[in-house]
Amino acid sequence: MASIDDVHPDARHDRSAAISRRTLLALAGAVGGTLVLPAPAATAPPSTLAAGPVAEEYRRLLLTHTRWVEQQWDPAIGAYRAADFRFAAVLGNAVLLTTDGYDATVAGVDATTLRQRTLATITRFAATNRLAGGSEWGRRLFWDSTFELYFVLAARLLWSELTAATRANVEAIARGQAAYTYALGTGNDPLSGSWTPNGSTGGFRGDTKLEEMGVYAQAIAPGLAWAPAGDAEAARWRDRFVFWAANSSGLPAADRANPAVIDGRRIDELMTAHNLHDTFVVENHDSVNPHYQAELWRTAGRTAAHFLAAGVPLPQVLTRQPNGRELWATLRLLASDAGEPVMPMVADRYHLYGRDVLPLAFLAQVQGDRHAARAEADLASRLMPYLRYAPENRLTKFSGEEKYEPEARAELAIAYLFHRWRTTAVQPVTSGEFFAAAAGARTFGADAGLTAQQTSAGFAAAVTKPGQVRFLWQPGHDNWLIDTRAPAFLPATAGAPTRQWTAAYTATRDGIDATATVLQTPAGWAGYATLPTGTVVYAGPGPSSLTLFNLTMPGVPGLDGSRTFTGPNGTVTPPAGLGDGGTDEVTFPARAARHVRFLGRSASGQYGYSLFAVEAYDTSGTDRARGRTVTASSADPNYPAANAVDGNPATRWAVARDDRGRADSWLAVDLGATVQLTRVRLSWESAYATAYLVQTSTDGTTWSTAVTAPSTATLGAWARIDDRAGLVAHGATGPIAASAAQVTIPAATLIEGYAGTGTDLAAAAARRLPTGGPATLRLSDADGYLTLLNLSPTAVTGAALTLPNGDRLYRGVSIVRADGGLTLTASVPAGGGAVRPARFTLTGRPPTGTRFNVADSHHLTVTAPAGAAVDVGLTAGTWSVQAQVPAGTSRAYAVPVTGPVTPTSDLARGRTTFPTSPLPAGMGEPSQAVDGNPSTAWRPGPNGRMVVDLADTRAVTSITLTWTGSNHPAPTIETSTEGTAYAPFSGPTNARYIAVAVPGWRTGDAELSELQVG
């Protein structure tokens, strides 16, 4: 490959040559001077293009994964297989063949053979594409066009080695697909069945059209990127490409308030689609789905690779995506320590690592986001152990089918190219910085049904979506500790809630980031609270459980094949290997049996049970189950019971769809004769049993249990899990128990979950909890926060709570008790909850009867009892004072206002503001007008206009603007209920959106420091 100083001046028109210096500079300018492109060729790139450790890991992964690729070679056709587009693996091959460091030992094939097979595959499938005159594949948008994109890029990387006929076919594919997609306008592809972008309108409830619009855009990209300069068709294609790429992340209320220009088009004029919830979250398959939210950057990455490889500046829409910043903030709120977001509702897109690489690589290496670089580096560090885990040499597993391998390989290759094309490495922030910036709490609305919190210590969430209800907890952000596909604490048998209440508290509005959720279920009331420390509090029906991952995956922290638990009686490591998925080897003393069966007790997730194989071995080591008669409690018609004993590891039995929620499903095998049985092997699909029995019978009627899986250990009132998390069960009916893959907590008054090892669990279990109010009011002061969960349909009003710890003052009136504790009066809504931070702390011993009236985060009044003076220390953050109050008198204290005063009645405080991203030229952050911080302000910019979304339609009686000075044009204020049509504000009205415009604003004019809505 030519060096930067050795390029052809006319390379822009000759795609087989290196790009020119002028084009290279234009390309660098398009992405901030950080990406350059060595032109496509078959020789090594200049050594000056340092790849970095993540890229080196990607190269090693591509080499190792080539062993899977070679298994796809089909001698009958002289190419890689067509099934599931497996021939698209040629992109990974092309990248390896055109970069340095090819290692045949790691790849399992020599470079010459790989090159011959790659070129043969490109030649064959270029000719069989429908757009090139063939009949085997192509033209169809879903999903042929995606694999055409990979395929064309592979051909371009090896362009100089292709025949003229093959080049012509590749050109026909790229241009033909762009022309075909353009000709559809905003209509549906007749070849793609029910897949549709829903015209230009999109959709957001239940099933976003973000992905579909992204496919329409990416189908145009190869033809557009590689079109010769001045091509008339390409000019039309570009306009349509920008339309689809922009609208994929459309949110009308935000977009119509945004005059920012991308690719020469104003966002408020370009955008028509509604593909996002107004809380900047995406739904797919009727549930919040981060995997599909990441499609915004997955499709951008696929398309960007073509523009960069062609030496063409990136369209701005790829780096200035409408609402992109807000969508990325949502994914960070759901992030784990492995770079992969938590999947709060969906079980079939979990730990699908190979398909998570490209969005992060694009955000990090093309957009230059250091937080994305952190997530990418974390994911990259897990990929090799993941690849080596059974089934070996696969980039998608656990919840992913093998059909995803070609896509994962192609996108890993693109991610590698992004790294190789950089001149300046993107330095990741530290993990601490990443999670500190990601921290926050948010409720995503009743439609989405998710209330989530990210902290520096972990992630927690409550899902209230019908059919998906669960509580989640991920201490330490460890997505290989607690399996969030199963509910945490809330029993799976609780049933659908008949009533629900949820709230997210934010530091800006409430002085705390926290959440509280209360549900009424057929099994009883349940409450769940999440705290800024990563601690969670649960009260409700039991028994409760946490399902744990317990695999042996060397290189992934915590996955050493065992889990260790510590309780009051010491430390224990239960035997692993049963109840954690994969392959279970169940052994027992020889027993006479003609029949053997698996009987389920609990499943790992919502899909019940599915087995690839059931094998039953006698004393001679012979599998007596192979090919025998099998029966089952139920079976999916596509996965009959006989599949479990057919000897084919690719076929499987699965329970019927209607029985997925049944815990006691079973499968039995008639061995044909009575034998001495000693061992049973169960090979699980991803729907596995976490608890079950292996039973035998001589007559098929009377069964005896050979093994109860898994074995359990009794711990006590508290338990530490693998030095990663801890549990405390207050008022439990029995001890906490643990197996290698599950922790079970019997019914308890209150359960607290602590992240990490910083909490003395024995002391936490022994401490006195707050008391008071009805028995249905559950109280916790974990980590100094007062949690209240009202598990009843009746409001708690003016309850006198006893707080044993007397050094924390919460909002309201607290009176010192004779025992040194406090009595606090509190109210909680019916079927609701609250989480309250300590507003002030006390040092010293105030006399009995002292009253502390805390108005908010900055103001309190101390009243001394008639017979004694008060002399105590008061602290709030960095502020402190020695409060000295004579007997029988009161004194007020105020913390100097340097931040938000909380809680607030200001309807605008901390709410979402528009324009979102990208901001118009010259405009500052609108959010700074509603952050409650008097030292920040919104800079309007030329003719600036901002909107605040109050989150719901509310009665608005007043709107107050505070400026940094008096020299500003007269503002106009408007209101709206739906975010598109606005009317002037002239007095009390119902509104959700408040708009402030400053026509004629010029640099040097005053800025808006606060917008208050009452």
Side-chain angles (χ1 to χ4, degrees):
M1 188 171 291
S3 70
I4 293 175
D5 292 325
D6 183 25
V7 295
H8 192 280
D10 296 323
R12 176 61 179 84
H13 302 284
D14 181 3
R15 300 301 192 193
S16 64
I19 61 175
S20 69
R21 181 181 297 277
R22 177 175 297 178
T23 304
L24 185 62
L25 293 175
L27 173 62
V31 288
T34 56
L35 279 167
V36 296
L37 176 68
T43 56
S47 59
T48 54
L49 294 175
V54 172
E56 177 57 23
E57 188 68 4
Y58 288 165
R59 187 185 67 81
R60 291 176 58 239
L61 286 158
L62 284 171
L63 283 166
T64 306
H65 188 255
T66 301
R67 292 179 175 272
W68 175 87
V69 174
E70 287 308 291
Q71 294 172 8
Q72 313 315 311
W73 179 254
D74 185 350
I77 64 173
Y80 297 117
R81 292 188 177 92
D84 299 326
F85 302 100
R86 297 186 184 208
F87 59 84
V90 293
L91 177 54
N93 295 2
V95 167
L96 289 173
L97 293 167
T98 55
T99 55
D100 52 337
Y102 186 81
D103 189 325
T105 302
V106 176
V109 59
D110 63 88
T112 299
T113 300
L114 187 69
R115 186 180 302 277
Q116 291 171 344
R117 291 181 172 182
T118 300
L119 293 173
T121 299
I122 292 174
T123 299
R124 182 189 189 280
F125 285 100
T128 63
N129 186 281
R130 298 183 186 97
L131 294 162
S135 60
E136 189 168 347
W137 71 294
R139 186 183 289 119
R140 183 174 55 186
L141 260 65
F142 302 92
W143 299 97
D144 297 52
S145 68
T146 300
F147 291 91
E148 286 174 347
L149 187 148
Y150 306 141
F151 183 82
V152 170
L153 184 57
R156 288 293 180 174
L157 293 176
L158 295 170
W159 197 247
S160 63
E161 301 181 56
L162 303 179
T163 66
T166 298
R167 291 188 190 184
N169 287 336
V170 172
E171 289 274 12
I173 294 171
R175 293 187 63 83
Q177 190 65 66
Y180 176 79
T181 307
Y182 177 83
L184 291 173
T186 58
N188 294 343
D189 174 22
L191 302 176
S192 293
S194 61
W195 291 97
T196 173
N198 196 19
S200 61
T201 305
F204 70 100
R205 281 194 177 93
D207 183 16
T208 181
K209 298 304 179 183
L210 180 154
E211 180 185 28
E212 284 85 342
M213 289 190 175
V215 169
Y216 273 59
Q218 71 180 25
I220 297 171
L224 177 61
W226 296 98
D231 185 279
E233 283 189 278
R236 295 191 292 272
W237 297 343
R238 184 180 185 87
D239 183 70
R240 192 65 53 78
F241 170 82
V242 171
F243 172 83
W244 287 120
N247 273 278
S248 63
S249 55
L251 176 62
D255 302 330
R256 293 176 192 178
N258 194 349
V261 176
I262 53 174
D263 292 303
R265 303 279 299 278
R266 283 173 52 131
I267 288 175
D268 54 1
E269 297 172 350
L270 173 65
M271 306 293 283
T272 62
H274 190 172
N275 286 324
L276 318 177
H277 280 272
D278 53 27
T279 48
F280 298 100
V281 76
V282 157
E283 276 193 296
N284 191 273
H285 301 314
D286 291 313
S287 59
V288 169
N289 196 317
H291 178 84
Y292 286 92
Q293 188 155 324
E295 282 292 329
L296 181 64
W297 305 289
R298 188 176 287 112
T299 55
R302 293 167 181 162
T303 58
H306 278 271
F307 289 105
L308 294 171
V312 178
L314 292 180
Q316 290 179 332
V317 71
L318 296 181
T319 54
R320 289 167 57 81
Q321 295 155 310
N323 306 307
R325 177 182 60 178
E326 289 71 23
L327 287 168
W328 172 225
T330 300
L331 281 196
R332 287 174 19 224
L333 187 73
L334 305 178
S336 73
D337 66 347
E340 180 188 65
V342 177
M343 302 296 290
M345 304 181 191
V346 183
D348 63 350
R349 292 292 184 274
Y350 199 71
H351 289 142
L352 204 56
Y353 281 177
R355 298 187 71 196
D356 294 329
V357 174
L358 186 57
L360 294 175
F362 175 79
L363 280 164
Q365 308 310 321
V366 178
Q367 291 198 357
D369 189 298
R370 295 184 62 205
H371 293 267
R374 171 75 274 149
E376 184 192 16
D378 289 341
L379 179 58
S381 70
R382 308 291 182 96
L383 285 173
M384 189 58 77
Y386 178 93
L387 189 74
R388 288 172 173 161
Y389 187 81
E392 196 173 6
N393 300 328
R394 287 260 306 274
L395 287 164
T396 58
K397 56 191 71 172
F398 298 106
S399 58
E401 300 173 42
E402 193 173 8
K403 68 181 183 181
Y404 296 129
E405 288 299 302
E407 177 182 349
R409 178 177 177 82
E411 295 187 354
L412 181 66
I414 294 172
Y416 175 73
L417 290 175
F418 287 159
H419 280 266
R420 294 304 300 250
W421 292 343
R422 291 200 66 89
T423 56
T424 304
V426 177
Q427 295 299 315
V429 299
T430 66
S431 292
E433 290 172 324
F434 178 93
F435 286 110
R442 190 183 311 177
T443 183
F444 290 95
D447 274 359
L450 174 66
T451 300
Q453 181 170 12
Q454 183 73 266
T455 76
S456 59
F459 170 84
V463 177
T464 56
K465 183 87 169 180
Q468 306 268 9
V469 174
R470 70 187 72 177
F471 296 148
L472 309 178
W473 186 37
Q474 193 177 77
H477 316 109
D478 187 345
N479 77 341
W480 281 110
L481 179 60
I482 296 175
D483 188 344
T484 54
R485 295 173 297 180
F489 306 111
L490 184 68
T493 56
T498 56
R499 177 172 175 165
Q500 60 187 42
W501 178 98
T502 190
Y505 304 94
T506 63
T508 302
R509 290 190 60 82
D510 308 293
I512 181 178
D513 287 325
T515 76
T517 302
V518 177
L519 308 174
Q520 183 180 16
T521 77
W525 288 82
Y528 189 60
T530 70
L531 307 181
T533 54
T535 294
V536 297
V537 178
Y538 170 80
S544 299
S545 65
L546 298 175
T547 300
L548 309 180
F549 291 107
N550 192 8
L551 310 178
T552 302
M553 194 182 299
V556 177
L559 294 188
D560 60 2
S562 66
R563 294 291 183 189
T564 298
F565 305 91
T566 302
N569 300 319
T571 297
V572 61
T573 303
L578 302 181
D580 57 2
T583 300
D584 286 358
E585 296 282 358
V586 184
T587 59
F588 42 84
R591 53 168 46 207
R594 171 166 177 164
H595 305 267
V596 63
R597 78 174 177 181
F598 147 78
L599 175 62
R601 299 177 73 181
S602 67
S604 61
Q606 68 191 46
Y607 295 105
Y609 308 114
S610 181
L611 281 161
F612 285 112
V614 174
E615 300 163 80
Y617 292 91
D618 63 14
T619 52
S620 70
T622 302
D623 175 14
R624 294 287 189 163
R626 176 77 62 85
R628 294 296 182 179
T629 301
V630 61
T631 55
S633 56
S634 71
D636 186 308
N638 295 315
Y639 307 105
N643 285 357
V645 295
D646 65 0
N648 184 346
T651 62
R652 59 187 173 94
W653 162 73
V655 297
R657 287 178 177 269
D658 291 344
D659 271 11
R660 286 176 172 178
R662 178 179 169 180
D664 63 345
S665 293
W666 54 268
L667 182 142
V669 184
D670 182 347
L671 306 179
T674 300
V675 300
Q676 290 294 307
L677 207 64
T678 62
R679 179 165 60 98
V680 171
R681 176 182 294 158
L682 303 176
S683 300
W684 293 101
E685 197 253 351
S686 59
Y688 63 90
T690 57
Y692 60 91
L693 304 177
V694 171
Q695 298 181 313
T696 62
S697 173
T698 56
D699 59 9
T701 301
T702 302
W703 296 89
S704 64
T705 298
V707 170
T708 298
S711 61
T712 59
T714 300
L715 297 170
W718 60 270
R720 192 173 302 284
I721 305 171
D722 217 20
D723 281 339
R724 294 173 179 272
L727 296 168
V728 172
H730 299 278
T733 56
I736 297 171
S739 68
Q742 190 167 56
V743 179
T744 302
I745 310 106
T749 305
L750 195 77
I751 300 171
E752 295 165 340
Y754 295 91
T757 59
T759 300
D760 183 335
L761 298 178
R767 80 184 194 280
R768 291 172 55 204
L769 291 176
T771 59
T776 53
L777 181 64
R778 305 297 172 83
L779 306 170
S780 168
D781 60 354
D783 299 336
Y785 297 95
L786 182 61
T787 297
L788 307 94
L789 299 171
N790 181 11
L791 308 186
S792 82
T794 304
V796 175
T797 304
L801 308 183
T802 299
L803 309 183
N805 194 320
D807 64 356
R808 305 187 196 103
L809 299 178
Y810 302 93
R811 185 167 178 258
V813 176
S814 297
I815 302 174
V816 177
R817 297 165 49 87
D819 61 4
L822 297 171
T823 297
L824 172 68
T825 302
S827 299
V828 190
V835 180
R836 300 185 179 182
R839 302 292 185 171
F840 296 86
T841 56
L842 287 172
T843 54
R845 181 70 182 268
T848 302
T850 302
R851 291 172 61 92
F852 297 94
N853 189 344
V854 178
D856 53 42
S857 59
H858 287 61
H859 303 89
L860 85 161
T861 300
V862 182
T863 301
V870 173
D871 187 359
V872 296
L874 296 173
T875 302
T878 59
W879 174 88
S880 63
V881 68
Q882 191 67 24
Q884 297 176 326
V885 184
T889 65
S890 298
R891 181 166 294 176
Y893 295 89
V895 179
V897 177
T898 57
V901 177
T902 59
T904 181
S905 60
D906 176 7
L907 298 177
R909 174 83 67 79
R911 302 299 189 190
T912 299
T913 56
F914 311 139
T916 53
S917 56
L919 289 175
M923 181 180 287
E925 289 290 345
S927 61
Q928 294 187 338
V930 296
D931 62 2
N933 187 343
S935 65
T936 62
W938 170 58
R939 183 179 69 255
N943 297 312
R945 179 177 180 270
M946 70 164 284
V947 176
V948 59
D949 178 0
L950 305 181
D952 202 355
T953 299
R954 303 174 186 273
V956 174
T957 59
S958 65
I959 300 173
T960 304
L961 308 180
T962 303
W963 300 86
T964 57
S966 59
N967 59 323
H968 60 83
T972 62
I973 302 176
E974 298 176 311
T975 65
S976 172
T977 57
E978 38 67 61
T980 55
Y982 285 80
F985 176 73
S986 57
T989 187
N990 291 326
R992 173 171 174 171
Y993 302 92
I994 310 297
V996 176
V998 194
W1001 189 94
R1002 296 180 300 178
T1003 301
D1005 287 348
E1007 300 177 358
L1008 183 62
S1009 62
E1010 190 166 31
L1011 164 59
Q1012 290 180 298
V1013 178

